Amino acid sequence: MAVLETIVVAFWAMLPAYVPNNAAVLAGGGRPIDGGREWGGRRVLGDGKTWRGTAGGILAGLALAAVLTVLAPEVSSAIGIDVPAFTAPAAIGLAAGAMLGDILASFLKRRTGRQRGAMFPGVDQLDFVVVSLPLTALFATEWFLEWFTWDVILVVVVLTPILHVTTNVIAYKLGLKNEPW
Ligand code: CTP
Ligand code: MG
Ligand code: K
């Protein structure tokens, strides 16, 4: 695969996993998932992981996957690069996996004594990749093997932190997020 083709496929295929984090920021609020409970003197997850944010994030990811699936044939022929349509299991693996990765990261942050909103370099940028890709491979094995070739995975690992940092700085500057990470 040519480099540009790999980048386009990686970005398109990951969009349903990218959007949930940003949508959760907009949808967040209300009851925290851990219900305020603590473990070892620290919150299990913290106030930054809410039911509303999680549901909003997953729904946004699924909705985007549906839109991209409708657009895929036309975009593919317009740009001359085959981009994937999403099967339902693939969309669920990507969107739910992204939110699950973010929740697991918060669990790790609390266990390592980090307060809500504290930076955790590396984990903050790749938590959703680390969970969404295996979950998608599990839920939609054939689809995953077709699209997530090794070169696409490599691009995802390099591209995701860059996109993550960029979108979070923008969200911070717009006053949507409390910290620029
Ligand atoms: N959010 C949410 N539910 C989620 C994820 C995010 O409600 N599952 C909302 C919260 O309002 C959260 C904001 O999005 O504060 C930013 O998300 P994130 O940076 O992941 O949370 P933090 O507040 O930084 O908390 P943590 O330290 O646990 O990551
Ligand atoms: Mg944060
Ligand atoms: K996070």
Side-chain angles (χ1 to χ4, degrees), residues 47 55 78 85 91 98 108 116 118 153 168 174:
D47 285 331
L108 283 180
R116 173 191 180 180
I153 292 176
N168 282 322
L174 290 175

Side-chain angles (χ1 to χ4, degrees), residues 21 48-49 101-103 105-106 109 118 123-125 127-128 164 168 177 181:
N21 280 285
K49 304 297 117 150
D102 180 54
I103 289 168
S106 290
K109 285 187 199 176
V123 173
D124 275 328
Q125 287 76 35
D127 52 14
F128 51 104
H164 191 267
N168 282 322
K177 223 174 171 291
W181 51 77

Side-chain angles (χ1 to χ4, degrees), residues 20-21 24-29 33 45-55 99 102-103 105-107 109-110 114-118 124 168 176-179 181:
N21 280 285
V25 175
L26 301 177
I33 295 172
L45 300 174
D47 285 331
K49 304 297 117 150
T50 67
W51 289 109
R52 218 168 70 198
T54 308
M99 286 285 82
D102 180 54
I103 289 168
S106 290
F107 180 79
K109 285 187 199 176
R110 301 302 91 84
R114 290 174 167 82
Q115 299 294 328
R116 173 191 180 180
D124 275 328
N168 282 322
L176 298 172
K177 223 174 171 291
N178 296 327
E179 310 88 16
W181 51 77

